[in-house]
Amino acid sequence: MALFAVITKQHPVGISADEFRHRLPEGFAHHVDLVKRGIIKHSWIIAGQSGGLNVYEVSSHEELTDALYGNPLSSHLEFDVFPLSDPGGFDVDEFATRDAEKAAG
């Protein structure tokens, strides 16, 4: 499984602000479904902005794409996606050995 941090911002191009607000419940229902299915692990609202930060846990890039673009409002949203790593996934000894070998020349 892979973790991704996704910052989602409103980007209501091709739709009025009133129409966007009217359709927000559809987008929120999609979000709630992803939380219930365990795809969204963490969710925060970004204070002072029209957007949020969510952490997705998915098995592939395709699953992430489906989750993001399955939102009925996706064509009116902007996504910034950041892949994350589980700190337990790193072998500290391997990195220390590699750094020591580089330093030795």
Side-chain angles (χ1 to χ4, degrees):
M1 297 299 271
L3 294 174
F4 294 89
V6 179
I7 296 175
T8 303
K9 301 174 195 166
Q10 291 182 11
H11 190 69
V13 172
I15 188 173
S16 71
D18 286 340
E19 178 65 19
F20 185 85
R21 281 191 294 279
H22 178 72
R23 294 184 54 201
L24 274 176
E26 297 173 52
F28 185 70
H30 176 75
H31 178 87
V32 169
D33 179 59
L34 294 175
V35 171
K36 287 180 181 177
R37 291 174 33 210
I39 294 172
I40 294 179
K41 296 296 187 183
H42 302 281
S43 184
W44 297 276
I45 294 172
I46 300 174
Q49 296 184 23
S50 297
L53 169 66
N54 299 299
V55 176
Y56 290 74
E57 184 175 40
V58 293
S59 59
S60 66
H61 290 96
E62 291 80 12
E63 185 179 3
L64 178 63
T65 299
D66 290 346
L68 296 177
Y69 292 98
N71 186 322
L73 291 176
S74 65
S75 61
H76 308 293
L77 299 171
E78 179 180 308
F79 303 108
D80 293 325
V81 179
F82 304 91
L84 303 175
S85 294
D86 178 359
F90 289 101
D91 182 346
V92 176
D93 294 329
E94 177 186 337
F95 284 104
T97 302
R98 188 180 313 154
D99 289 344
E101 290 172 353
K102 284 182 184 177

